[in-house]
């Protein structure tokens, strides 16, 4: 699973690159981008909870993870998620009001994947630089979307880009809290320097996974 300080830090790029390298080496890979949560049959109830704003609970998440891990296990496939189980749930109402319940969910997801040696890769870097990259790559629609998110969280002064940066900077405490939960529930968390080139970040990740670093 992959965490990052902000959109544009390179989570999706790293996930796709890892999948490419593993497949080139003959390993089956189940690449699970965040948007696939809404199309995967195993996550149908989770997706419905997000769509209806009733929001999925641990009772929805755990069977979805269990089914996904079992399918990966059956196919002897690596599972690569460009998101993580703490960040996916930590801003939901039940998690905000009951942190112990969130901690239990994160621990239980790890236990479901225990025999597969689960790992979280945390991409560290500059929020402004990451936001600038995302805006350049994804265009006006992306900027408008995140500017609305910033507005909804009370960051409404200044140009859209600056509002997004300020909002992303403001949620770093929450992202760190997600990492703390992951670490204290037994997840192995590896920090990578995402300010390096994409190839260098991939090399760091392959080293963390104890895989040969490609040239």
């Amino acid at each position: 699973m992959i965490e990052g300080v902000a959109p544009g830090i390179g989570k999706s790029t790293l996930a796709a690159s890892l999948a490419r390298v593993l497949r080139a080496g003959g390993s089956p890979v189940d690449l699970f981008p965040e948007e696939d949560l809404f199309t995967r049959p195993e996550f149908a109830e989770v997706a419905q909870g997000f769509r209806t704003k009733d929001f999925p609970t641990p009772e929805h998440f755990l069977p979805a993870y269990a089914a996904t891990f079992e399918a990966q296990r059956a196919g002897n496939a690596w599972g690569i998620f460009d998101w993580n189980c703490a960040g996916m749930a930590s801003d939901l109402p039940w998690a905000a009001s009951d942190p112990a319940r969130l901690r239990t969910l994160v621990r239980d997801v790890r236990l479901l994947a225990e025999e597969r040696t689960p790992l979280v890769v945390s991409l560290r870097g500059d929020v402004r630089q990451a936001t600038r990259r995302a805006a350049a790559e994804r265009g006006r629609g992306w900027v408008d979307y995140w500017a609305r998110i910033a507005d909804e969280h009370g960051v409404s002064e200044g140009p859209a880009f600056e509002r997004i940066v300020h909002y992303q900077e403001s949620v770093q405490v929450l992202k760190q809290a997600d990492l703390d939960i992951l670490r204290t529930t037994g997840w192995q968390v590896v920090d990578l320097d995402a300010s390096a080139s994409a190839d260098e970040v991939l090399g760091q990740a392959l080293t963390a996974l104890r895989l040969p670093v490609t040239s």
Side-chain angles (χ1 to χ4, degrees):
M1 294 186 173
I2 304 177
E3 172 62 293
V5 295
I9 200 64
K11 290 188 303 171
S12 297
T13 297
L14 176 59
S17 296
L18 282 171
R20 172 180 52 79
V21 170
L22 289 163
R23 286 168 178 157
S27 296
V29 177
D30 178 19
L31 177 59
F32 196 151
E34 186 172 346
E35 60 269 20
D36 281 10
L37 182 147
F38 290 94
T39 59
R40 296 257 181 154
E42 299 89 346
F43 275 78
E45 291 190 9
V46 171
Q48 182 65 11
F50 280 117
R51 289 191 185 99
T52 62
K53 305 298 183 184
D54 289 332
F55 299 114
T57 66
E59 291 72 27
H60 299 110
F61 277 115
L62 282 174
Y65 284 115
T68 300
F69 294 155
E70 180 54 36
Q72 292 169 352
R73 189 179 297 112
N76 197 31
W78 286 77
I80 300 177
F81 300 71
D82 74 357
W83 48 281
N84 71 87
C85 59
M88 182 58 68
S90 61
D91 61 348
L92 300 181
W94 61 263
S97 64
D98 190 353
R101 194 177 179 198
L102 173 63
R103 187 177 299 276
T104 298
L105 169 65
V106 175
R107 181 205 64 198
D108 288 348
V109 175
R110 180 187 62 77
L111 291 173
L112 286 172
E114 185 69 12
E115 68 183 62
R116 313 197 74 218
T117 316
L119 175 77
V120 173
V121 171
S122 174
L123 297 180
R124 317 302 295 170
D126 182 74
V127 170
R128 179 174 292 273
Q129 181 180 349
T131 305
R132 184 177 293 112
R133 181 190 303 159
E137 290 177 351
R138 302 174 193 179
R140 189 70 221 179
W142 183 91
V143 172
D144 290 344
Y145 171 80
W146 279 103
R148 287 196 300 273
I149 297 295
D151 290 345
E152 291 169 2
H153 288 83
V155 184
S156 56
E157 297 295 326
F161 176 80
E162 292 299 328
R163 298 204 306 274
I164 297 169
V165 171
H166 292 159
Y167 169 68
Q168 293 297 338
E169 290 174 340
S170 75
V171 299
Q172 292 309 302
V173 171
L174 300 178
K175 287 182 174 290
Q176 186 57 54
D178 290 344
L179 290 171
D180 290 344
I181 289 173
L182 287 159
R183 287 189 173 98
T184 58
T185 54
W187 286 83
Q188 181 184 358
V189 179
V190 175
D191 293 316
L192 301 187
D193 177 12
S195 64
S197 70
D199 286 344
E200 290 170 327
V201 174
L202 174 60
Q204 295 176 51
L206 292 170
T207 298
L209 293 169
R210 301 180 181 178
L211 295 168
V213 177
T214 59
S215 58

